[in-house]
Amino acid sequence: MEKLSPGGLSHLYMTIFLHNFATFMVIPAITDVTMTALCPGRDECSIAIYLTGFQQAIVGLGTLVMMPLVGNLSDKCGRKALLTLPMIFTIIPLGILAYSRTRNFFYAYFVAKTLTAMVCEGSVHCLALAYVADNVPEGRRASTFGILSGISSSAFVCGTLFTRFVSTTSMFQVATTVAVVAVMYMRIFLPDSIIDDNISAPLLSNENPKVSNSDENSNAELQSSTALPSLPDIIALLKTSPTFSQAAIVAFFSHLADVGLHASLLYYLKARFHFNKDQFADLMVISGVAGTISQLVLMPLLAPVLGEERLLSIGLLFGCAHMFFYGLAWSFWVPYAAAMFSIFFVFAQPCMRSIVSKQVGPSEQGKAQGCISGICSFANVISPFAFSPLTALFLSEKAPFNFPGFSITCVGFAAMIAFIQSVMIKAAPPISSERVSSNCNYMEP
């Protein structure tokens, strides 16, 4: 398959920007909306913490199944087709809160968000990474992944900054509208990226599947490609190289820590320092601006010099540090200082994904990224059971000792495990694009 022109990636960047702008815009207000619906007039609400943790666990179970399937399907049916579904599903919960945020509508949002997030959570990012891997040479992949993450960070900054100056009602209405525009833009302008044109055509396309008459097993291959990858398939993928399996361990513990932090942080800051939507937005803007500058400027410069492995370790080290600063915060300004650490810890995810992409062949990029996303989803299931009860306990009056940030400090230790593992990753030569794929009966070009 021919590589796309730079214009193809620019349309991907715009699609990701619009989608993330819509989803990130509502994050600063969700804590206040949840607290108002469940515990009006209070700054601490254990039921809200447990409900958020329950939602994350259910979503993690769903995405644990869906991510490998989505990645595997996209290898055969096209990235664009699989991007369409989660982007459409994202609109539904946003539309509910745009209409009303009373308790009944909040419960409707909660159910809709839980169900749709099983497909949407992480799948857009996973498919975007696979799309980039299809169309960017291995030598430029790390910097391109960094640019993609920078686009996401810039959407995060713009969305949270917009939230700072609008009402909650207007915010959800705008988010819903932008989510619709993102789907329309993607369907009209984004070129598709199909790995194997001889087996299938994209879903949601007017084209007919291209089946080679000379291959009697084509239909069987197409049918098997749309099936959920079996556990032996995933294990075989993890055994592709020691580097891949080490990256999977890093992905698990780093995501375990990230989910634990994001589930607890806003409730912790609200109980500890009485933060509200505006303070949350300020904090996120600081983190987003630092991360955007880092990914769009620093990472493309440092990746060719230091290599993805060293940048991964640097990112995880600063990730540990910023979690410990949150957990030990002794004044309201400490979280703002900790947010500045994002200038370095944002290195971790794009570097880890780039390392993974170089360990598999071209026809397995979607499966590999889906496998890593599935591992992250498994961490998404475990994290709420580990950290949500700790958060609720140490923010309540029944805490065994006075340490409101205890759960976040524990999150920092989980991130430290990921850092220690990352130090053990050694630079390995990428898998040659001429290797024989274990899933295909032909030599990859």
Side-chain angles (χ1 to χ4, degrees), residues 139 142-143 298-308 311:
S143 60
L298 292 182
M299 190 169 176
L301 296 175
L302 295 178
V305 177
L306 298 179
E308 293 97 324
L311 279 185

Side-chain angles (χ1 to χ4, degrees), residues 2-11 131 135 191:
E2 296 182 357
K3 301 295 183 185
L4 286 182
S5 65
L9 288 181
S10 68
H11 292 311
Y131 190 100
N135 299 289

Side-chain angles (χ1 to χ4, degrees), residues 39-50:
C39 305
R42 295 171 54 188
D43 284 337
E44 184 277 323
C45 182
S46 295
I47 187 174
I49 298 172
Y50 281 118

Side-chain angles (χ1 to χ4, degrees), residues 107-144:
Y107 285 130
Y109 157 82
F110 180 84
V111 173
K113 176 66 175 178
T114 302
L115 295 176
T116 57
M118 291 182 183
V119 177
C120 304
E121 191 81 17
S123 60
V124 173
H125 183 63
C126 170
L127 292 169
L129 291 168
Y131 190 100
V132 169
D134 293 341
N135 299 289
V136 175
E138 291 171 349
R140 294 195 294 113
R141 232 172 251 173
S143 60
T144 307

Side-chain angles (χ1 to χ4, degrees), residues 8 31 75 107 111 123 150 247 252 363 441:
T31 300
D75 284 336
Y107 285 130
V111 173
S123 60
F252 174 80
S363 65
N441 58 3

Side-chain angles (χ1 to χ4, degrees), residues 120-331:
C120 304
E121 191 81 17
S123 60
V124 173
H125 183 63
C126 170
L127 292 169
L129 291 168
Y131 190 100
V132 169
D134 293 341
N135 299 289
V136 175
E138 291 171 349
R140 294 195 294 113
R141 232 172 251 173
S143 60
T144 307
F145 283 167
I147 292 172
L148 183 64
S149 295
I151 297 295
S152 298
S153 295
S154 63
F156 179 81
V157 172
C158 294
T160 51
L161 188 62
F162 184 86
T163 300
R164 185 68 174 80
F165 301 104
V166 297
S167 66
T168 301
T169 301
S170 299
M171 178 191 60
F172 282 104
Q173 292 172 348
V174 172
T176 304
T177 302
V178 174
V180 173
V181 172
V183 176
M184 295 175 62
Y185 182 93
M186 184 271 296
R187 291 302 305 171
I188 295 172
F189 295 107
L190 183 68
D192 206 349
S193 175
I194 311 172
I195 300 301
D196 190 353
D197 292 312
N198 293 322
I199 292 182
S200 65
L203 296 172
L204 304 180
S205 171
N206 293 327
E207 299 177 12
N208 295 322
K210 299 178 182 179
V211 180
S212 174
N213 294 328
S214 62
D215 189 354
E216 297 178 355
N217 297 323
S218 291
N219 290 332
E221 289 179 2
L222 175 58
Q223 186 174 3
S224 64
S225 73
T226 59
L228 178 67
S230 64
L231 183 60
D233 289 338
I234 295 176
I235 293 175
L237 193 59
L238 291 173
K239 292 181 178 179
T240 300
S241 70
T243 302
F244 191 100
S245 58
Q246 288 174 321
I249 296 172
V250 170
F252 174 80
F253 282 103
S254 65
H255 198 73
L256 184 75
D258 287 342
V259 171
L261 177 68
H262 295 151
S264 306
L265 182 60
L266 300 187
Y267 292 109
Y268 162 70
L269 294 176
K270 190 172 185 66
R272 182 82 169 84
F273 303 113
H274 309 290
F275 278 20
N276 59 24
K277 173 179 77 74
D278 293 339
Q279 281 77 50
F280 293 149
D282 293 339
L283 192 66
M284 293 175 185
V285 167
I286 293 172
S287 178
V289 168
T292 301
I293 294 173
S294 176
Q295 289 168 323
L296 295 180
V297 179
L298 292 182
M299 190 169 176
L301 296 175
L302 295 178
V305 177
L306 298 179
E308 293 97 324
E309 293 78 16
R310 289 182 181 176
L311 279 185
L312 174 62
S313 297
I314 292 172
L316 291 172
L317 176 62
F318 278 89
C320 295
H322 105 283
M323 291 176 187
F324 286 131
F325 266 85
Y326 278 132
L328 300 172
W330 57 91
S331 180

Side-chain angles (χ1 to χ4, degrees), residues 85-121:
L85 300 179
M87 291 181 68
I88 290 176
F89 289 154
T90 299
I91 299 170
I92 299 173
L94 294 176
I96 293 174
L97 290 186
Y99 183 79
S100 178
R101 287 159 307 285
T102 59
R103 175 171 292 193
N104 289 337
F105 278 94
F106 172 79
Y107 285 130
Y109 157 82
F110 180 84
V111 173
K113 176 66 175 178
T114 302
L115 295 176
T116 57
M118 291 182 183
V119 177
C120 304
E121 191 81 17

